[in-house]
Amino acid sequence: MKALTKAEEQIMMALWQTGPAFVKDLIEAMPEPKPHYNTVSTLIKILVEKGFVDFNVFGKSHQYYATISREEYSHKTVSNLVKGYFEGSFSNLVSFFIKEKDISVNELESLVQKIKDAQNQPK
């Protein structure tokens, strides 16, 4: 899966928020300052080429929709981050946040509980 640029990611966030949408709907869903119509249209075309977005045709208009869910993209992005920067180890990732003091003891305990709960779930 190809990585998204920051601008492409903003478009995807709007698309995940709105569901199937026309360019004008995506612009409305985006934060200020709103990008220009042509900018969004160009980015959407790139996202279609990359396989993140597809569309339905309604006359001369195109309604766009995401071909990958936010959860799928998040999972792949985090997995790539862990592989690229933390030797494939989620433990190394958590250790990094502990060393940087970006995670509290309460957050760490909550993470441990979530891991335990997930392991106890039937597959």
Side-chain angles (χ1 to χ4, degrees):
M1 177 177 68
K2 294 182 180 182
L4 295 176
T5 66
K6 194 69 171 167
E8 292 166 350
E9 198 169 278
Q10 284 184 321
I11 300 293
M12 290 302 297
M13 291 291 193
L15 196 54
W16 287 321
Q17 177 187 337
T18 62
F22 297 95
V23 171
K24 65 178 179 61
D25 301 322
L26 293 173
I27 293 169
E28 288 176 21
M30 296 179 76
E32 294 291 341
K34 305 279 187 196
H36 192 272
Y37 184 96
N38 290 344
T39 302
V40 175
S41 186
T42 299
L43 288 167
I44 284 284
K45 287 176 187 167
I46 293 168
L47 288 166
V48 168
E49 289 171 11
K50 285 185 171 183
F52 286 94
V53 173
D54 207 348
F55 58 90
N56 294 313
V57 178
F58 295 95
K60 292 183 179 182
S61 298
H62 292 77
Q63 183 184 48
Y64 299 96
Y65 60 90
T67 58
I68 184 170
S69 71
R70 183 177 180 165
E71 292 76 21
E72 289 173 289
Y73 180 72
S74 296
H75 176 76
K76 288 179 182 181
T77 301
V78 171
S79 293
N80 288 340
L81 174 77
V82 171
K83 286 177 192 169
Y85 292 95
F86 298 100
E87 301 164 4
S89 168
F90 281 94
S91 177
N92 289 349
L93 172 71
V94 173
S95 293
F96 170 81
F97 285 114
I98 291 169
K99 288 177 191 170
E100 296 296 316
K101 296 184 175 49
D102 289 336
I103 189 168
S104 70
V105 172
N106 288 341
E107 289 172 317
L108 196 53
E109 288 172 348
S110 176
L111 260 176
V112 169
Q113 187 58 51
K114 287 178 183 178
I115 292 168
K116 287 178 182 178
D117 292 345
Q119 288 176 340
N120 292 330
Q121 294 283 326
K123 291 184 180 184

